[in-house]
Amino acid sequence: MSEINPLVERELRSRMRGPRAYITITGFLGVISLVALLLYLSTAGQSGGDANAGPEIGRLLFWVITIVGLVLVALITPVFTAGSIVGERERQTLDLLITSLLSSRQIVLGKLVAALAFIAVLILSIAPIISVSFMIGGVTPGDVIVAFGCLAATGLFYAAIGLFWSSIARTSIAATTLALGTIVMILLGVPFVVVIVGITVSGRELPEWLGHPAAITVWALIIDSHPFVALALSLEHLAAGGDLWLQPVSSGSPLALVEPDGPVTLPSPWLMNLLVSLGGAALLLRASARALRPTDRRP
Amino acid sequence: MAIVTTHELTQQFGATTALDRLSLEIPAGAVYGFIGPNGAGKTTTMRILTTLLRPTGGEAHVAGYEVTRDPAAVRAAVGFMPDSFGVYEGLRAWEYLDFFGRSFRVAAKRRVALVDELLELVGLAHKRDAPVMSLSRGMQQRLSLARAMIHDPQLLILDEPASGLDPRARIELRELLKELGAMGKTIMISSHILTELAEMCSHIAIIERGRLLVAGPVERIMRSVQAHRVLDIRIVGDGAAALAWLRAQPAVRAAELMPGDAPDRDTLTADFDGDDQAQVALVRGLVAAGIGVLSISEARNNLEEIFMRITEAAP
Ligand SMILES: Nc1ncnc2c1ncn2[C@@H]1O[C@H](COP(=O)(O)OP(=O)(O)OP(=O)(O)O)[C@@H](O)[C@H]1O
Ligand SMILES: [Mg+2]
């Protein structure tokens, strides 16, 4: 196709014309800058003169900014996309899109790309603050890659969650509620499952198949589907001198419920998170496109 | 050649039968009036023809393509104007058309000129840069029509385009549609007001409760309904005898005795399908037969009434 998806241009054009985009970006940066400032003021007082303070402050600043950024992306993204398709329905323009030559896939992708373009602006707007922590010290390029990897993966996956509910729901409010509900379920549900499993297995004889590489991979995918957990695990792995891309699973690791059958090496938690996010997004986008297709008679 | 054919099209919404084995045929080049009261199934039919709804039974072909098997080809052949006008906040009139031009893959070179041509055609050239939201209802309606034509479809499907318009805007819309008809477009247009359409349509179909009542060229339908008139005859005297006399007349299809407004008065209604000469003969005959005729009047036999009669006669 010679031209870009017309939905992307229209979305960006009408979105950038309203005040909402500026308010969102300003609010986002406002919260992050405020947190950074408070943190800086509180630590700068305590550690005057300490030669090691620099890297410690830099690292703390980096962690806090990344986590606050991740919280904001996790909350803003789904709200952003949840209104997109159901909004067309409410404005009674969805029928016009469906009866055009845009395929349902193009409609969904157009909405996604427009939202991601905006999310990318949000995420990249953190870069200057992160670079401050980088200059203070204590932060490696690997840390920055992990941080942006988790932010991007979460932005994509949660945008797809919002879009999915948007393609099914009848009202924007319902779609937004369902999208946020799903995300809260993931963020609370994964730690809940891990804790429950931890309680259940402690002090018991476990079946040996749990040591199979496939079982370990599945368990790792579940744990790493939580972006905050994946972020923390990856950063700690790096800080302990680990590799940016790979993590060996040894018998002491929380990923190994029983003694692994043999040496197992998995992608780093943040890469696992990226995998889960890509896979989840792909499934949800397919389902969204299908929801827009009323009359295709499938064989 | 028919551009739209439906065969036993059926649409079930739970227990409601919105369309009941509807078979239609719209010849290419026709201006096809699709008429029925509220809830008759007009919108449902149009949504099936525009690939928005999957029928629960039967088949529909548009421009030779089956709507559920080849929706993309159907969409390319049809311009649809729904009964609601969807607006995008923050878009200007030309941007609105340009956006749909892209959505129909109209080449960029052609689009710029096309948008202006269409705005000109629907009389909105002066509103080119106005926000869509700021346009009046009638203007939005015309913009919507321009949108439906952005990909130069063979067939326009317009769902109650005149609803909510003032008389002047209706006339303008009618002129516009005539122009489009003259350009050779096939137009399917729905309404629950027959008079609104009869003048500009070449064909008419009347549906009620999902069933087709009549369909065909407009003159034929008019002729067949207008050929018979309803006469109201007020008399004094023996109503029963007058009724018997009327029923004996060959041009009287049916006659009935209504209670009159006074004890010795009666009103007879006769369904009469003779011509003017036959009607004159009937009046003479009534007098000659010694019936005390007070007055004879022809019941108004306009399109509304035809519509009412046809739709009431349905079971
Ligand atoms: N999505 C739906 N779910 C359930 N019933 C529906 C749905 N759409 C239409 N119906 C029913 O189908 C019947 C036909 O509706 P339709 O909208 O086609 O009528 P219409 O001829 O367009 O009427 P109007 O003149 O009011 O626009 C009605 O009884 C309506 O209640
Ligand atoms: Mg309708």
Side-chain angles (χ1 to χ4, degrees), chain A residues 2 13-14 26 33 40 82 90 106 121 128 134 150 167 174 179 193 222-223 226 233 237 242 292 297:
Chain A
S2 57
R13 183 181 275 175
S14 53
T26 311
S33 310
Y40 184 76
E90 287 173 329
Q106 280 174 306
V121 171
F134 197 68
C150 285
S167 72
V193 167
I222 292 175
I223 292 178
H226 197 292
L233 289 178
H237 181 57
L292 295 186
R297 190 174 279 163

Side-chain angles (χ1 to χ4, degrees), chain A residues 3 10 17 88 95 295-296, chain B residues 47 51 54 71 88 90 111:
Chain A
E3 292 188 73
R10 199 209 68 217
R17 245 176 220 168
E88 300 270 354
D95 287 349
T295 69
D296 291 5
Chain B
R47 288 178 67 79
T51 74
R54 181 204 294 256
Y88 287 114
R111 227 167 40 227

Side-chain angles (χ1 to χ4, degrees), chain A residues 3 6-7 9-10 13-14 17 88 91-93 95-102 294-297, chain B residues 47 50-54 68 71 75 84 86-91 95 99 102-105 111 147:
Chain A
E3 292 188 73
L7 271 169
E9 189 194 318
R10 199 209 68 217
R13 183 181 275 175
S14 53
R17 245 176 220 168
E88 300 270 354
R91 276 176 302 195
Q92 296 171 315
T93 47
D95 287 349
L96 303 183
L97 291 183
I98 293 176
T99 51
S100 78
L101 291 185
L102 292 173
T295 69
D296 291 5
R297 190 174 279 163
Chain B
R47 288 178 67 79
T50 50
T51 74
L52 287 166
L53 191 65
R54 181 204 294 256
T68 61
R75 288 168 191 167
S84 57
V87 264
Y88 287 114
E89 57 267 29
L91 280 198
E95 289 170 339
F99 166 68
R102 286 165 188 262
S103 307
F104 276 102
R105 304 194 200 130
R111 227 167 40 227
R147 179 196 52 69

Side-chain angles (χ1 to χ4, degrees), chain A residues 254-277:
Chain A
L255 291 182
L257 292 170
V258 301
E259 186 71 25
D261 291 352
V264 180
T265 303
L266 291 178
S268 257
W270 70 279
L271 283 176
M272 296 290 272
N273 181 259
L274 193 61
L275 278 177
V276 172
S277 299

Side-chain angles (χ1 to χ4, degrees), chain B residues 229-233 246 252 254-256 268-272 282:
Chain B
R229 2 187 149 184
V230 176
L231 300 178
D232 287 333
I233 306 161
L246 266 181
V252 174
E256 252 167 285
L268 296 150
T269 52
D271 231 343
F272 181 73
L282 184 83

